[in-house]
């Protein structure tokens, strides 16, 4: 991940802590060997006890439809990575939801809708974190803490590949808290391909340095907001943003916000920050590769940050207002090679390659 993209997404990174690198969403109700052997993930909607809420007209169980477009030239394999033609390695039947219904069992509303039948329009506003009142800001931090301490009722993570699960006959899944679920999803979408033995393929990423960057992350953050809304019952919750334009340093890196520096160790957070007690997950990519295993959500130590101590030759400063204006002036969403070398691509420039660097 490029340093400048890391800056552009800094607030997200600070929040999700251990970002290293497909929404690997595994509903708890679909993690049994029966589901995996039948390749069906159509859980009951608890409102009426029918798969996909079919009896209430929410949706129905259907064969998935896959694109038959070939993979890009960057990935010269087929049938070696569980994320190819997602989610077909695990499931070939899932819930197809009608109207404003959404989710693995059609139990959720589409973004922007609410109410018992998902018919009420919801207009939510994302606010500048510095415009939140102190109680609003503290509520936000309390929500994050709650998410970090609450096991996801709906999702589990796989701790092995489909092959390691003997093609589904011996499931390997475990619980994860709601916050770490999103850290894990971000890891899973961008991890390397395990090729067996000690071989890995690193030139792969389903969420970065390609056209999918913006839609993937938009869905990711919307799902995260929705999980926090459901967890807290605060239907109006939105993730605040950090406007880093022209900032000379990380001005949210204080104990009131995302955590100040520990006076005894610049890499650690100040003991006065609520985040100083947090543990990261999914940070040891080389270790997972050498073991040919997946991140299993085990705590791997405290948050390490040291804001400002990055490679200044690569990223001299936070983006300026002029950098943002330049990016917004680009008319083409994507261009040329559609990767990290794409020139005058809005997506690539937003990701931090290559123009924001000069
Ligand atoms: C889905 O997978 C099951 C189990 O492998 C298989 O029997 C079925 O034919 C598949 N369905 C489709 C539409 O591919
Ligand atoms: C909301 O959270 C509850 C637990 O508080 C859980 O049982 C339910 O499945 C969640 N619903 C959705 C739609 O995410
Ligand atoms: C929701 O839809 C159900 C089934 O169509 C209906 O019986 C119920 O009255 C609706 N509830 C509301 C609040 O509109
Ligand atoms: C899993 O499926 C693959 C491909 O169909 C097959 O080559 C392999 O032998 C299977 N492994 C097990 C443990 O069933
Ligand atoms: C969410 O916002 C709407 C519109 O301002 C308001 O009517 C509603 O009461 C709010 N809900 C909660 C749970 O605060
Ligand atoms: C982008 O522009 C540079 C400089 O003109 C050029 O060297 C490079 O080949 C271009 N990249 C692509 C993918 O076209």
């Amino acid at each position: 991940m490029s340093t400048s993209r890391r800056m552009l997404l800094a607030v997200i990174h600070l929040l999700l802590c251990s970002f290293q690198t497909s929404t690997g969403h595994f509903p708890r109700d679909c993690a049994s060997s029966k589901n995996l052997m039948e390749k069906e993930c159509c859980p009951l909607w608890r409102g009426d006890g029918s798969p996909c809420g079919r009896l209430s007209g929410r949706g129905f169980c259907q064969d998935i439809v896959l694109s038959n477009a070939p993979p890009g030239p960057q990935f010269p394999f087929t049938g070696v990575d569980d994320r190819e033609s997602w989610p077909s390695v695990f499931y070939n039947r899932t819930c197809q939801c009608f109207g404003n219904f959404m989710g693995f069992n059609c139990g959720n509303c589409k973004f922007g809708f609410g109410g018992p039948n998902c018919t009420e329009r919801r207009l939510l506003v994302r606010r500048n974190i510095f415009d939140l009142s102190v109680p609003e800001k503290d509520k936000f931090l309390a929500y994050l803490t709650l998410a970090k301490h609450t096991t996801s009722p709906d999702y589990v993570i796989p701790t092995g590949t489909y092959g390691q699960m003997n093609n589904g006959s011996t499931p390997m899944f475990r619980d994860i808290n709601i916050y770490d679920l999103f850290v894990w999803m971000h890891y899973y979408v961008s991890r390397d391909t395990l090729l067996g033995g000690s071989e890995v393929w690193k030139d792969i990423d389903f969420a970065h340095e390609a056209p999918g960057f913006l839609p993937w992350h938009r869905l990711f953050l919307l799902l995260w907001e929705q999980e926090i809304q459901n967890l807290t019952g605060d239907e109006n919750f939105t993730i605040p943003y950090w406007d880093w334009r022209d900032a000379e340093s990380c001005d949210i890196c204080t104990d009131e916000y995302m955590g100040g520096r520990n006076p005894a160790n610049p890499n650690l957070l100040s003991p006065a920050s609520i985040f100083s007690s947090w543990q990261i997950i999914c940070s040891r990519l080389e270790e997972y590769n050498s073991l040919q295993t997946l991140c299993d959500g085990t705590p791997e130590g405290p948050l390490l940050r040291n804001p400002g101590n990055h490679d200044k030759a690569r990223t001299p400063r936070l983006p300026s207002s002029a950098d943002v204006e330049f990016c917004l002036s680009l008319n083409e969403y994507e261009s040329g090679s559609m990767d990290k070398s794409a020139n005058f691509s809005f997506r690539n420039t937003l990701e931090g390659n290559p123009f924001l660097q000069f």
Side-chain angles (χ1 to χ4, degrees):
M1 196 177 267
S2 83
T3 311
S4 36
R5 185 176 66 233
R6 195 173 288 140
M7 291 202 324
L8 279 163
L9 293 174
V11 75
I12 301 166
H13 281 264
L14 284 165
L15 292 175
L16 291 169
C17 313
S18 56
F19 273 17
Q20 298 299 320
T21 54
S22 56
T23 57
H25 249 98
F26 288 84
R28 183 181 295 279
D29 290 352
C30 298
S32 74
S33 59
K34 181 172 190 293
N35 290 102
L36 292 169
M37 301 304 283
E38 292 172 0
K39 295 189 113 182
E40 187 170 294
C41 180
C42 292
L44 308 181
W45 177 55
R46 287 174 186 82
D48 67 9
S50 72
C52 313
R54 188 178 52 81
L55 293 176
S56 304
R58 287 187 164 235
F60 64 107
C61 191
Q62 209 197 28
D63 291 349
I64 60 169
V65 179
L66 292 171
S67 162
N68 50 21
Q74 300 88 345
F75 190 66
F77 305 98
T78 45
V80 300
D81 191 311
D82 292 345
R83 300 165 298 176
E84 290 173 46
S85 301
W86 185 262
S88 65
V89 169
F90 295 93
Y91 309 109
N92 64 17
R93 284 172 68 77
T94 59
C95 287
Q96 174 80 42
C97 309
F98 295 121
N100 294 337
F101 301 112
M102 193 180 88
F104 62 86
N105 61 2
C106 303
N108 279 348
C109 298
K110 278 190 178 161
F111 306 117
F113 291 91
N117 290 340
C118 299
T119 49
E120 296 164 18
R121 263 256 172 229
R122 292 272 157 80
L123 181 65
L124 299 181
V125 179
R126 297 207 177 86
R127 296 168 64 197
N128 186 324
I129 194 164
F130 290 130
D131 290 343
L132 302 184
S133 66
V134 171
E136 286 170 335
K137 183 266 298 176
D138 287 342
K139 191 173 76 171
F140 170 55
L141 299 185
Y143 286 179
L144 296 179
T145 306
L146 182 64
K148 186 79 173 174
H149 289 103
T150 306
T151 299
S152 172
D154 292 326
Y155 298 102
V156 288
I157 56 164
T159 57
T161 63
Y162 188 71
Q164 287 164 354
M165 295 186 205
N166 295 312
N167 296 351
S169 58
T170 54
M172 299 164 69
F173 291 93
R174 68 183 276 189
D175 283 344
I176 192 158
N177 69 62
I178 292 170
Y179 188 92
D180 285 348
L181 171 67
F182 286 85
V183 178
W184 186 90
M185 281 161 55
H186 194 273
Y187 145 79
Y188 190 76
V189 73
S190 39
R191 69 178 174 84
D192 299 333
T193 294
L194 306 174
L195 292 172
S198 57
E199 300 291 300
V200 294
W201 182 261
K202 288 179 174 280
D203 193 11
I204 183 146
D205 190 321
F206 292 85
H208 302 100
E209 299 184 341
F213 174 73
L214 284 162
W216 191 89
H217 286 85
R218 172 159 293 200
L219 178 63
F220 178 71
L221 293 176
L222 285 165
L223 287 171
W224 189 42
E225 274 178 349
Q226 193 178 62
E227 285 289 319
I228 301 279
Q229 289 161 2
N230 186 43
L231 169 69
T232 61
D234 182 351
E235 59 188 5
N236 296 326
F237 168 76
T238 55
I239 305 170
Y241 64 87
W242 174 34
D243 183 355
W244 32 248
R245 282 175 302 176
D246 307 313
E248 287 183 359
S249 62
C250 178
D251 49 12
I252 55 170
C253 295
T254 65
D255 290 339
E256 292 70 39
Y257 292 91
M258 295 299 129
R261 199 190 297 275
N262 185 315
N265 180 341
N267 294 314
L268 295 177
L269 292 180
S270 151
S273 163
I274 63 156
F275 298 107
S276 64
S277 63
W278 282 39
Q279 290 271 313
I280 59 169
I281 64 164
C282 302
S283 65
R284 300 181 182 162
L285 303 182
E286 294 309 319
E287 185 181 311
Y288 316 142
N289 282 350
S290 66
L291 297 171
Q292 296 277 311
T293 188
L294 299 181
C295 165
D296 68 0
T298 302
E300 295 174 351
L303 276 161
L304 304 176
R305 276 206 201 121
N306 204 347
N309 186 38
H310 58 277
D311 180 355
K312 304 265 190 334
R314 207 169 152 194
T315 311
R317 53 175 168 75
L318 286 160
S320 65
S321 298
D323 293 330
V324 172
E325 290 308 314
F326 171 74
C327 188
L328 290 172
S329 76
L330 297 172
N331 296 320
E332 306 272 11
Y333 177 80
E334 194 55 277
S335 71
S337 53
M338 303 195 191
D339 59 14
K340 67 178 176 220
S341 66
N343 288 328
F344 295 99
S345 147
F346 171 75
R347 185 276 315 157
N348 200 30
T349 306
L350 185 77
E351 258 192 283
N353 290 308
F355 287 106
L356 287 180
Q357 291 166 22
F358 32 91

